[in-house]
Amino acid sequence: MACGLFYCQHDAKDQRELVNYHCMKKRFPLFVLVFVWLMMAVRLDAQPERPIVVQVDRPISVIQPTMWGIFFEDINFAADGGIYAELVKNRSFEFAKPLMGWKVLKKDATEGVLILNRGESNVTNPRFVRITRPNMEEKFGLENEGFRGMGIKTGLTYHFSLLARNPEGKPLKIRIELVNASGEVIGTASMAPESAEWKRYTVSFSATATESKAKMNIWFEGIGSLDLDMISLFPDDTWKNRPGGLRADLVQMLANLKPGFIRFPGGCIVEGFELATRYQWKKTIGSVDERQTSINRWNTEFKHRPAPDYYQSFGMGFFEYFQLAEDLGAEPLPILSCGMACQFNSAEVAPLDQLEPYIRDAMDLIEFANGSADTKWGKVRVQMGHPAPFNLKMIGIGNEQWGSQYIERYEAFAKMIKGKYPEMKLVSGTGPSPDGKFFDLASKELTRLHAEIVDEHYYANPEWFLQNATRYDSYDRKNYKIFAGEYAAQSKSGANPENKNNWKCAISEAAFMTGLERNADVVSLCSYAPLFAHVDAWQWTPDLIWFDNLTSFGTPNYYVQKMFSINKGSHILPILAGNQPLTGQNGLYASAALDQNTNEIILKLVNTSHSELNENITLDVKKRINPKGKLTVLKSESPEAVNSIEQPMLIYPVEQNFSVRGKSVHAVLQPNSFSVYRIKLVN
Ligand code: AHR
């Protein structure tokens, strides 16, 4: 065995021993040193000399069904241009520049196109476009560029719709064309709006080719004028085929995670740059025509990744969110403004004596989710097509706030909400950092206030994740439960565009997550953040799932999340080496669970070292064991390796069978790998 390998396999204590060894060399004859070295080498080859034992009959605590969830924020074009399947950008001309995303197809683009503003008579959707074509001399059209193009699939049906009126009643026809990147037509349809009053017109047609960067042209043929608004194009293959719904492939990626909860809508987007632009759920429900478009706060956040065309149509609003959570069998966890704008931006706060509208919003959301048809907001939900309650059980107060201002505001919210809804679990937060002055203040004060679930955020380098695998081993069990509400290992630091979803980051998260799972008696919810990123339109990295206009792929981090989530189990089991939890000895991190529903033992073993580890794991259990088990391995030889649109499965979990020998498992853990063993108990 090479000395270099010997060195890198050992922790700090072993490194000290190696230094001592070099000192000893001076004092002992060579043959003694060779003998000692050989003995040590034999010891390493014959791993393990520390038996690993899983105490199957001594479950420590229940693992909450909510343990592994997802964090959804409209960042990186996650909603508009992402999961919300609308293909037309700026469909209602409400962006600051009303024609952003549109191009006038005409020699003299200054004539014939007028943006009108209805002002007070329609405050939620004031603008529309008036097209006037006085003669047939030249071609006249509008082109929409989509969200960095439109993803179009051959043979698929597309539904085009708009609101229109034809005040003069002249025969001005509309011809819709989808064109590919070379300008060739790959789908066409037409309609003739005739009504003098606003009316919705729809037409469906099939695409004849696949294209990820298509555009849509609307040609005006004939003479006359038309007023147009809410110009929309949806694919037919939305999630559950809901008209105007969500992109099915992206929802499927979420469904495959079997999430325990969905945090929504963020993230800083909850808070707003200033209070006026905070996320207000009431503006995101009802007819999409009346959901007021708002600038997305990530539009202007980073100079290194400007996104001037990033707005929120709220097509995926709070109703769709609750519906998605229901579809996925996940608990909804809405996070609401607590009257504090983003403290990295304006840091505006609503005075304590003017918090009422903010608290009212939270109370009304509970009524919208759970109230009966005879309550004001319950009735709105019923009218939107969901008579049954959404069974909201938790609600978050503020996103990533810090300081005494937060504590005061949380206290006011808690008093009011608990007064009316004592069974509602409240989620509070400790700010952006997992330690330091503000973290300590929040922990102390939230303990004093008997907070129930407290959100902690960790964005840090992979080494932090390895070192913090023991973070919760010594947390106080008498106080609140932990929501690891936002975390991601960063290959660079902070909001750096060079951050990569590489294997080094993903495996460090896996190691850390064994610590979350081992402490599932105190950690009850966890979510990686952010969730989605469009490959051409992102602002923040790293992100769990990347997509273009046609496809998507899971990062190595996604597969780590998935392997934890779908192998959750119902109870934590002790997994010990010499009476110690496995928290990095020889680079090995581990957790174990029992699934009482399937009668299986689940072992999660993360080998972060560059060497293969051979471990004999004794299953201390009375029941018999099925000799055939299932093993899933996620690994890469390169710490820098990433998945991509071109190589979506470069790092991908591979399943195989393995044999259990009596009541022990011989685990051959490949270098830099994450392995999940499922072992069936026989009654
Ligand atoms: O996940 C990205 C951002 O990180 C979130 O919006 C915010 O809560 C955190 O600072």
Side-chain angles (χ1 to χ4, degrees):
M1 180 179 293
C3 196
L5 184 57
F6 169 73
Y7 186 87
C8 79
Q9 268 188 334
H10 284 67
D11 60 16
K13 184 168 156 278
D14 295 323
Q15 291 176 21
R16 277 199 307 277
E17 281 169 3
L18 192 71
V19 173
N20 290 341
Y21 160 78
H22 285 298
C23 301
M24 276 161 55
K25 241 179 12 178
K26 295 188 185 133
R27 283 182 265 135
F28 292 95
L30 186 64
F31 77 91
V32 177
L33 291 171
V34 169
F35 177 74
V36 171
W37 183 83
L38 275 173
M39 291 305 288
M40 290 173 83
V42 166
R43 216 187 71 187
L44 280 166
D45 274 340
Q47 284 176 36
E49 41 73 47
R50 54 195 174 113
I52 298 177
V53 178
V54 183
Q55 297 175 331
V56 183
D57 294 333
R58 288 202 210 165
I60 299 170
S61 149
V62 162
I63 298 171
Q64 294 303 320
T66 50
M67 182 75 183
W68 308 112
I70 52 185
F71 161 101
F72 185 99
E73 178 172 18
D74 190 4
I75 183 171
N76 304 316
F77 282 52
D80 290 281
I83 201 167
Y84 183 49
E86 172 64 88
L87 294 168
V88 178
K89 186 168 71 184
N90 193 11
R91 64 186 174 189
S92 61
F93 309 97
E94 304 297 339
F95 287 15
K97 292 183 181 168
L99 283 178
M100 186 177 253
W102 295 94
K103 193 165 141 193
V104 179
L105 303 175
K106 188 168 172 289
K107 264 192 232 124
D108 183 357
T110 61
E111 272 182 4
V113 177
L114 188 64
I115 299 295
L116 285 104
N117 191 320
R118 285 168 278 211
E120 292 300 302
S121 68
N122 191 340
V123 283
T124 55
N125 181 8
R127 295 196 190 127
F128 61 91
V129 65
R130 174 162 296 162
I131 301 297
T132 308
R133 190 169 191 239
N135 57 57
M136 312 249 262
E137 274 160 25
E138 58 168 333
K139 280 183 89 177
F140 184 179
L142 286 179
E143 174 195 274
N144 190 275
E145 66 187 21
F147 298 90
R148 312 295 193 270
M150 294 177 182
I152 301 296
K153 295 179 206 157
T154 186
L156 187 63
T157 300
Y158 288 83
H159 305 291
F160 175 86
S161 69
L162 46 63
L163 292 175
R165 67 179 175 189
N166 186 339
E168 296 168 24
K170 291 191 182 152
L172 187 55
K173 209 175 104 184
I174 287 176
R175 186 163 51 83
I176 302 112
E177 270 180 8
L178 291 178
V179 293
N180 65 15
S182 325
E184 291 152 358
V185 176
I186 57 169
T188 185
S190 54
M191 57 171 55
E194 285 164 358
S195 166
E197 302 302 323
W198 284 107
K199 188 177 157 191
R200 187 174 309 282
Y201 295 85
T202 60
V203 64
S204 301
F205 59 98
S206 265
T208 54
T210 294
E211 170 64 57
S212 69
K213 300 263 182 199
K215 290 180 178 167
M216 182 181 74
N217 296 333
I218 303 174
W219 294 106
F220 303 103
E221 295 172 345
I223 292 174
S225 93
L226 286 175
D227 291 342
L228 306 176
D229 199 1
M230 294 299 290
I231 302 177
S232 168
L233 183 72
F234 271 91
D236 188 60
D237 64 347
T238 54
W239 173 251
K240 290 189 180 280
N241 295 106
R242 289 191 184 120
L246 305 181
R247 213 175 112 168
D249 63 324
L250 297 185
V251 179
Q252 192 58 54
M253 288 293 282
L254 303 184
N256 293 347
L257 288 173
K258 296 198 190 317
F261 68 93
I262 308 181
R263 175 187 177 137
F264 179 91
C268 290
I269 213 158
V270 169
E271 308 162 15
F273 189 96
E274 65 284 287
L275 286 169
T277 51
R278 71 189 187 279
Y279 197 102
Q280 297 182 58
W281 73 268
K282 286 175 185 161
K283 296 185 175 181
T284 75
I285 57 166
S287 159
V288 289
D289 304 350
E290 285 153 28
R291 300 184 192 179
Q292 190 175 2
T293 299
S294 163
I295 189 164
N296 186 301
R297 57 147 297 127
W298 298 105
N299 179 313
T300 49
E301 187 71 16
F302 299 127
K303 285 202 177 61
H304 56 261
R305 290 291 298 177
D309 57 340
Y310 199 5
Y311 283 74
Q312 293 175 274
S313 72
F314 299 110
M316 184 186 171
F318 253 84
F319 179 85
E320 292 76 17
Y321 156 60
F322 281 128
Q323 200 174 37
L324 176 67
E326 183 176 74
D327 290 349
L328 302 190
E331 295 292 340
L333 172 45
I335 306 286
L336 298 186
S337 162
C338 65
M340 297 178 76
C342 182
Q343 288 162 280
F344 292 113
N345 300 144
S346 73
E348 278 182 346
V349 295
L352 280 176
D353 60 0
Q354 290 171 37
L355 269 187
E356 199 278 335
Y358 297 83
I359 301 179
R360 171 87 9 239
D361 266 359
M363 308 276 278
D364 290 345
L365 181 68
I366 298 170
E367 189 176 287
F368 176 70
N370 296 349
S372 64
D374 48 20
T375 61
K376 177 177 172 192
W377 292 102
K379 188 174 169 193
V380 177
R381 183 196 72 243
V382 175
Q383 283 165 346
M384 287 187 75
H386 202 283
F390 282 119
N391 279 322
L392 178 65
K393 300 186 189 97
M394 309 178 272
I395 190 161
I397 311 303
N399 170 48
E400 201 179 55
Q401 270 60 61
W402 65 81
S404 55
Q405 298 86 353
Y406 173 62
I407 302 299
E408 291 165 340
R409 281 160 185 76
Y410 168 74
E411 203 173 354
F413 270 75
K415 195 170 159 213
M416 288 291 288
I417 298 175
K418 282 290 188 180
K420 184 160 182 197
Y421 300 105
E423 70 294 347
M424 188 61 52
K425 290 260 180 284
L426 298 189
V427 175
S428 49
T430 48
S433 176
D435 48 32
K437 185 171 90 174
F438 289 124
F439 177 84
D440 293 343
L441 173 86
S443 308
K444 186 169 140 248
E445 289 296 289
L446 292 170
T447 303
R448 176 179 67 79
L449 294 172
H450 305 293
E452 298 171 294
I453 304 173
V454 174
D455 184 11
E456 297 188 354
H457 294 179
Y458 349 91
Y459 294 101
N461 58 36
E463 289 71 31
W464 184 96
F465 279 84
L466 297 181
Q467 283 154 12
N468 278 271
T470 53
R471 179 179 175 89
Y472 294 109
D473 291 357
S474 53
Y475 251 55
D476 196 334
R477 267 52 190 170
K478 290 191 300 296
N479 295 328
Y480 47 73
K481 302 286 181 208
I482 295 296
F483 172 24
E486 291 187 31
Y487 62 91
Q490 297 175 321
S491 60
K492 297 286 174 194
S493 71
N496 188 320
E498 295 307 317
N499 272 318
K500 297 279 180 274
N501 283 98
N502 64 29
W503 179 235
K504 185 177 180 186
C505 290
I507 196 172
S508 75
E509 288 155 9
F512 176 73
M513 289 165 74
T514 61
L516 298 177
E517 185 171 270
R518 182 174 53 251
N519 291 288
D521 56 329
V522 68
V523 181
S524 56
L525 306 130
C526 314
S527 47
Y528 181 99
L531 182 64
F532 280 125
H534 189 299
V535 292
D536 295 326
W538 53 273
Q539 292 77 51
W540 176 294
T541 55
D543 306 289
L544 203 61
I545 299 164
W546 289 75
F547 59 91
D548 65 11
N549 291 333
L550 287 174
T551 60
S552 58
F553 69 90
T555 57
N557 318 66
Y558 172 87
Y559 292 111
V560 165
Q561 291 293 320
K562 183 174 171 191
M563 283 167 67
F564 270 86
S565 184
I566 66 173
N567 295 296
K568 181 169 57 224
S570 56
H571 291 78
I572 326 161
L573 298 176
I575 175 167
L576 303 168
N579 268 344
Q580 291 301 313
L582 281 154
T583 56
Q585 299 93 318
N586 282 3
L588 181 61
Y589 297 78
S591 57
L594 178 69
D595 191 332
Q596 281 191 345
N597 305 314
T598 60
N599 217 12
E600 282 171 293
I601 303 165
I602 305 168
L603 308 180
K604 302 193 181 77
L605 298 161
V606 185
N607 176 9
T608 61
S609 81
H610 304 310
S611 312
E612 182 180 288
L613 295 177
N614 283 271
E615 303 287 359
N616 275 321
I617 302 172
T618 303
L619 305 169
D620 190 357
V621 60
K622 285 202 196 76
K623 283 184 182 168
R624 282 184 304 121
I625 288 172
N626 187 326
K628 278 206 181 103
K630 271 258 171 306
L631 167 63
T632 310
V633 181
L634 186 66
K635 68 179 175 83
S636 171
E637 276 155 29
S638 163
E640 308 304 327
V642 295
N643 288 344
S644 60
I645 293 279
E646 295 74 30
Q647 286 187 291
M649 286 157 65
L650 188 65
I651 302 176
Y652 192 78
V654 175
E655 286 187 10
Q656 62 194 76
N657 294 328
F658 73 96
S659 303
V660 184
R661 294 195 216 132
K663 289 191 176 176
S664 88
V665 173
H666 179 70
V668 181
L669 304 171
Q670 299 172 52
N672 293 305
S673 66
F674 169 31
S675 307
V676 178
Y677 289 78
R678 290 190 80 111
I679 302 143
K680 192 102 185 151
L681 293 169
V682 183
N683 283 325

